[in-house]
Amino acid sequence: MPRLLVALVALFVSALPAAQADTYPSRPVRILVPYAPGGATDIVARLLAERMRETLGQSFIVENKPGAFGIVALEEVARAQPDGYTLMIGNVSTNAITPLIYKDKLRFDYEKAIVPVARLATIPAVVAASST
């Protein structure tokens, strides 16, 4: 995780305009989660936020924005300034399936407005069935 964190920070810093004198981050960073608290995506976001706070010395605030198959959070990210201070941690549902299946419900062009930064975690999924 430390190497991923360094790579993630490097991506954010390189995305900032060269003329900007502030060191990133110079103010709190919002991390949106398109689900209610307590799920796997939320846990990953909170672990990352804490590690980045420790490493960079700035607040990383996790905000849960559930609803509409992730569209609520996606639209908020799309409206945010492209300065690295509003991030979203999603999963295959919000970042791949929703933009395809519900494209007509989005009020923005997903491919132009959202920029994938890094894969953060692989969370195993299990299918279970009754054996009786």
Side-chain angles (χ1 to χ4, degrees):
M1 178 122 165
R3 278 190 263 164
L4 176 61
L5 180 62
V6 171
L8 187 61
V9 170
L11 281 170
F12 290 137
V13 172
S14 67
L16 298 174
Q20 186 172 351
D22 293 339
T23 302
Y24 179 86
S26 61
R27 58 187 166 91
V29 177
R30 296 171 59 217
I31 301 175
L32 303 181
V33 175
Y35 301 103
T41 306
D42 180 63
I43 292 167
V44 169
R46 291 178 190 282
L47 290 171
L48 178 69
E50 179 59 22
R51 177 72 105 185
M52 291 186 70
R53 182 197 61 78
E54 292 170 359
T55 303
L56 299 173
Q58 186 58 260
S59 295
F60 284 76
I61 302 161
V62 175
E63 294 181 25
N64 297 84
K65 300 283 183 172
F69 307 102
I71 294 173
V72 172
L74 284 167
E75 286 185 346
E76 190 160 337
V77 170
R79 285 191 306 266
Q81 291 293 324
D83 58 7
Y85 286 92
T86 302
L87 310 173
M88 187 188 93
I89 295 183
N91 59 25
V92 70
S93 295
T94 54
N95 296 23
I97 296 171
T98 292
L100 290 174
I101 294 177
Y102 300 106
K103 187 174 188 167
D104 58 328
K105 303 241 185 253
L106 299 177
R107 291 183 232 154
F108 63 94
D109 184 339
Y110 180 87
E111 292 181 25
K112 291 181 182 174
I114 305 296
V115 177
V117 176
R119 182 178 185 174
L120 296 177
T122 301
I123 300 171
V126 176
V127 175
S130 173
S131 63
T132 58

